[in-house]
Amino acid sequence: MYIFWDNSNIHYAGLNHVLPLKEPGADKKLYRTYFKGLLNLVQNGRTIDDIFFSGSIPPKEDTLWNAVRQLGITPSLLPRSLTDGEADTTDHVLQLALLRLALDHPEPSTVALLTGDGAGINSGEGFLADAKRLSARGWQFEVYSWDVACHSELRTFATTNGKYFKLENYYENITYIKGLRKAIEL
């Protein structure tokens, strides 16, 4: 099993769309993704062959990525653009790794996509377009996404060609509010 984790998509969709629904009035500055809980959800006792994880470089005093490294994950970190946020660079890093995986490992396996991004499908680009390419070659897909922010075509692809996991069902296991609420272990 191979995991492709778009941290920005998962974190910001949870922060901006799910937190206000699940914990109205909670301070957004204290919202955190519980990386270990999310990894446990996806792994589900299975062997992980590799994890591809991308995100943005945080401020120097931020220790965010230490939690990821403690799980044995080496994140691909990219600087934020001053005008456009990440300008889809983290997506491109993961998409390139996904296509390289298919070329380097011709024997199909399972890919878990942690994203909600279906952008670019109409031009043959993006996670969904690449997932369709690999699916046609026998690769299995699981998509883990906040349902409220998941691209409808990505959700349809996952439910038709694999499995779809609505992260809202695991909110208390994969998030916490710093100093106020701990995540519940799976």
Side-chain angles (χ1 to χ4, degrees):
M1 153 185 253
Y2 298 89
I3 298 175
F4 288 79
W5 189 329
D6 179 354
N7 185 66
S8 296
N9 189 278
I10 295 296
H11 177 75
Y12 287 109
L15 174 69
N16 295 320
H17 300 289
V18 183
L19 174 66
L21 298 173
K22 295 281 191 176
E23 299 183 81
D27 186 348
K28 283 186 162 188
K29 293 177 192 152
L30 302 176
Y31 171 86
R32 302 287 188 274
T33 300
Y34 182 51
F35 298 117
K36 181 181 175 189
L38 187 50
L39 181 59
N40 286 342
L41 170 66
V42 176
Q43 184 176 15
N44 194 24
R46 299 176 287 183
T47 300
I48 297 173
D49 295 301
D50 208 346
I51 300 173
F52 303 88
F53 183 108
S54 71
S56 297
I57 296 173
K60 289 183 193 256
E61 68 277 0
D62 195 325
T63 59
L64 171 69
W65 300 127
N66 290 344
V68 173
R69 288 183 184 100
Q70 288 174 351
L71 295 172
I73 301 170
T74 303
S76 294
L77 301 178
L78 300 162
R80 287 188 172 276
S81 162
L82 295 177
T83 56
D84 299 318
E86 295 172 348
D88 295 324
T89 54
T90 57
D91 289 0
H92 292 143
V93 165
L94 290 176
Q95 292 160 17
L96 178 59
L98 181 62
L99 293 175
R100 284 180 176 166
L101 173 71
L103 290 172
D104 293 345
H105 301 278
E107 189 64 34
S109 184
T110 299
V111 170
L113 289 177
L114 284 69
T115 188
D117 197 343
I121 185 59
N122 294 328
S123 59
E125 300 174 359
F127 287 116
L128 179 53
D130 293 339
K132 286 181 175 183
R133 288 178 178 100
L134 271 67
S135 178
R137 289 167 175 76
W139 287 78
Q140 301 298 307
F141 279 86
E142 298 175 359
V143 173
Y144 297 78
S145 183
W146 296 110
D147 198 54
V148 69
C150 187
H151 190 285
S152 63
E153 289 186 49
L154 181 62
R155 184 184 312 109
T156 299
F157 167 79
T159 56
T160 305
N161 299 289
K163 296 178 183 175
Y164 178 72
F165 295 85
K166 182 178 172 179
L167 292 180
E168 284 88 343
N169 294 340
Y170 306 95
Y171 177 81
E172 292 81 12
N173 309 110
I174 63 173
T175 68
Y176 65 97
I177 306 297
K178 186 177 178 182
L180 298 174
R181 178 184 60 80
K182 293 182 177 184
I184 299 169
E185 295 291 336
L186 285 169

